[in-house]
């Protein structure tokens, strides 16, 4: 059963506090980069782990109330990430419009539906339909291949190995000296373990102290990943495995859809 | 049935990601029309 949460905090805490079994949270976008709050919430709740990921193509649409034209739009409402992913479009087509942040793209659509005069939302196709808006322009994101990666969080056991897994790790180096991070990364390189993402976040202790979020291919219960983790742990002052999980992907989702579909909505037609 | 929470309200990309994930797990995904292949929105 899928249920909505009010904020990213609520979504993650629902799992951490046992009010929900699983949570879906955005982690990174191909245009705008990471979602820092998701990383921070992962650290804040050591009892939760990453159990899956979903990589979703993201198409943004400009929508307004019935009868409102593009020329009448003075205010564009959306989630800050959506506004940022349409920056070039807005500069070109609506340079005078005021950009107003909303809690989500669906919330933006609801707000425009409540007070439509002179306003438009950057939102999903599903929200356009749900809130009775009219599409002004479709697929306005600055890059056609706009993709967001969501992680799935849970509390239970580590998902079993599938042979097509990833592992997420967060750590800090043992000391601030030349080569500290290199020595850690070297343990992956010498074992031919492919890193898929590395990102630093302030440790929130003092200026210049960082945590490194590292994703790589492989499962923590298989070699050579196990050996790499054993080698890395003594090189860190903070070390936490955030989870091992089956690799997601647009292709995997599409295959599933194609394999099961006998009619009805296709992935390409879903809320953009 | 396990509960899967996403950033709402309904109509967000998070909802879509949640449904995509649920669809890959038989214990989460239960289309009201058996094997109709359409997205079920709560």
């Amino acid at each position: 059963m899928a249920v909505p949460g009010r904020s990213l905090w609520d979504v993650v805490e629902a799992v951490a506090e046992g009010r929900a079994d699983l949570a879906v949270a955005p982690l990174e976008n191909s245009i705008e980069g990471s979602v820092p709050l998701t990383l921070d919430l992962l650290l804040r709740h050591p009892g939760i782990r990453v159990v899956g990921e979903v990589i979703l193509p993201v198409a943004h649409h400009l929508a307004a109330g019935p009868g409102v034209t593009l020329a009448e739009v003075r205010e564009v409402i959306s989630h800050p990430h959506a506004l940022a992913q349409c920056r070039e479009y807005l500069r070109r087509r609506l340079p005078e419009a005021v950009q107003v942040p909303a809690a989500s793209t669906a919330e933006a659509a609801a707000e425009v539906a409540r007070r439509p005069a002179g306003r438009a939302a950057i939102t999903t196709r599903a929200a356009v339909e749900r809130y009775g808006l009219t599409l002004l322009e479709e697929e306005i994101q600055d890059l056609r291949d706009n993709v967001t990666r969501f992680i799935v969080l849970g509390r239970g056991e580590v998902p079993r190995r599938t042979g097509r897994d990833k592992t997420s790790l967060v750590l800090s180096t043992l000391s601030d000296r030349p080569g500290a991070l290199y020595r850690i990364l070297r343990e992956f390189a010498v074992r031919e373990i492919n890193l898929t993402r590395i990102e630093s976040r302030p440790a929130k202790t003092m200026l210049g102290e960082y945590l490194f979020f590292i994703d790589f291919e492989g499962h923590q219960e298989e070699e050579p990943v196990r050996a790499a983790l054993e080698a890395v742990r003594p090189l860190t002052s903070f070390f936490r495995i955030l989870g091992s999980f089956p690799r997601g992907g647009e292709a995997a989702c599409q295959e599933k859809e194609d394999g099961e579909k006998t009619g009805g909505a296709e992935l390409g037609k879903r809320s953009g | 049935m396990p509960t899967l929470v996403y950033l709402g309200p309904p109509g967000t990309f998070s909802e879509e990601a949640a449904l995509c994930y649920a669809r890959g797990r038989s214990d989460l995904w239960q289309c009201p029309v058996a094997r109709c292949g359409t997205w079920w929105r709560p």
Side-chain angles (χ1 to χ4, degrees), chain A residues 176-243:
Chain A
D176 185 9
R177 64 188 177 115
L181 182 59
Y182 162 77
R183 286 178 175 81
I184 289 170
L185 299 182
R186 182 180 173 280
E187 299 297 338
F188 295 99
V190 296
R191 292 174 176 84
E192 295 285 321
I193 296 171
N194 187 36
L195 304 189
T196 56
R197 173 173 160 267
I198 179 165
E199 182 162 3
S200 61
R201 284 284 295 153
K204 304 185 195 299
T205 49
M206 59 183 290
L207 188 65
E209 293 290 320
Y210 290 95
L211 293 168
F212 296 94
F213 288 80
I214 300 172
D215 288 359
F216 53 88
E217 292 175 356
H219 194 285
Q220 62 185 288
E221 293 172 358
E222 71 189 7
E223 297 295 352
V225 171
R226 192 199 306 263
L229 294 173
E230 281 179 15
V232 164
R233 193 185 293 264
L235 304 175
T236 64
S237 59
F238 177 82
F239 178 95
R240 187 191 300 165
I241 300 171
L242 297 173

Side-chain angles (χ1 to χ4, degrees), chain A residues 7-254:
Chain A
S7 69
L8 204 46
W9 282 78
D10 289 339
V11 167
V12 176
E13 283 181 354
V15 171
E17 295 170 1
R19 288 180 280 116
D21 301 289
L22 297 163
V24 169
L27 185 70
E28 61 176 330
N29 173 263
S30 56
I31 297 178
E32 226 7 58
S34 72
V35 182
L37 181 55
T38 298
L39 298 175
D40 290 348
L41 289 170
L42 266 175
L43 279 175
R44 191 183 177 91
H45 298 289
I48 59 176
R49 70 173 89 245
V50 184
V51 299
E53 67 174 3
V54 176
I55 298 172
L56 197 70
V58 168
H60 292 298
H61 309 295
L62 188 73
V68 175
T69 66
L70 187 66
E72 294 169 346
V73 173
R74 296 287 174 267
E75 201 170 89
V76 178
I77 306 172
S78 197
H79 188 274
H81 266 250
L83 290 167
Q85 289 164 32
C86 303
R87 195 176 284 129
E88 284 299 318
Y89 169 86
L90 292 171
R91 193 176 65 86
R92 197 175 65 249
R93 299 283 284 162
L94 291 164
E96 305 299 326
V98 176
Q99 297 175 23
V100 179
S104 71
T105 49
E107 196 67 59
E111 179 58 31
V112 167
R114 276 192 290 271
R115 286 197 300 124
R119 306 169 100 195
I122 294 175
T123 191
T124 67
R125 192 179 293 277
V128 171
E129 293 165 7
R130 179 176 287 269
Y131 297 103
L133 300 183
T134 302
L135 279 172
L136 293 179
E137 294 208 43
E138 297 182 60
E139 302 210 9
I140 62 168
Q141 67 278 4
D142 292 339
L143 283 182
R144 182 174 173 79
D145 297 323
N146 188 25
V147 171
T148 295
R149 185 160 79 98
F150 294 83
I151 51 173
V152 183
L153 305 171
R155 292 183 313 280
E157 295 177 359
V158 177
R160 279 186 230 149
R161 293 161 52 184
T162 67
R164 193 174 175 276
D165 303 294
K166 278 162 78 171
T167 296
S168 289
L169 181 66
V170 58
L171 55 81
S172 60
T173 56
L174 195 55
S175 57
D176 185 9
R177 64 188 177 115
L181 182 59
Y182 162 77
R183 286 178 175 81
I184 289 170
L185 299 182
R186 182 180 173 280
E187 299 297 338
F188 295 99
V190 296
R191 292 174 176 84
E192 295 285 321
I193 296 171
N194 187 36
L195 304 189
T196 56
R197 173 173 160 267
I198 179 165
E199 182 162 3
S200 61
R201 284 284 295 153
K204 304 185 195 299
T205 49
M206 59 183 290
L207 188 65
E209 293 290 320
Y210 290 95
L211 293 168
F212 296 94
F213 288 80
I214 300 172
D215 288 359
F216 53 88
E217 292 175 356
H219 194 285
Q220 62 185 288
E221 293 172 358
E222 71 189 7
E223 297 295 352
V225 171
R226 192 199 306 263
L229 294 173
E230 281 179 15
V232 164
R233 193 185 293 264
L235 304 175
T236 64
S237 59
F238 177 82
F239 178 95
R240 187 191 300 165
I241 300 171
L242 297 173
S244 290
F245 49 89
R247 280 158 56 190
E250 187 183 334
C253 196
Q254 182 74 62

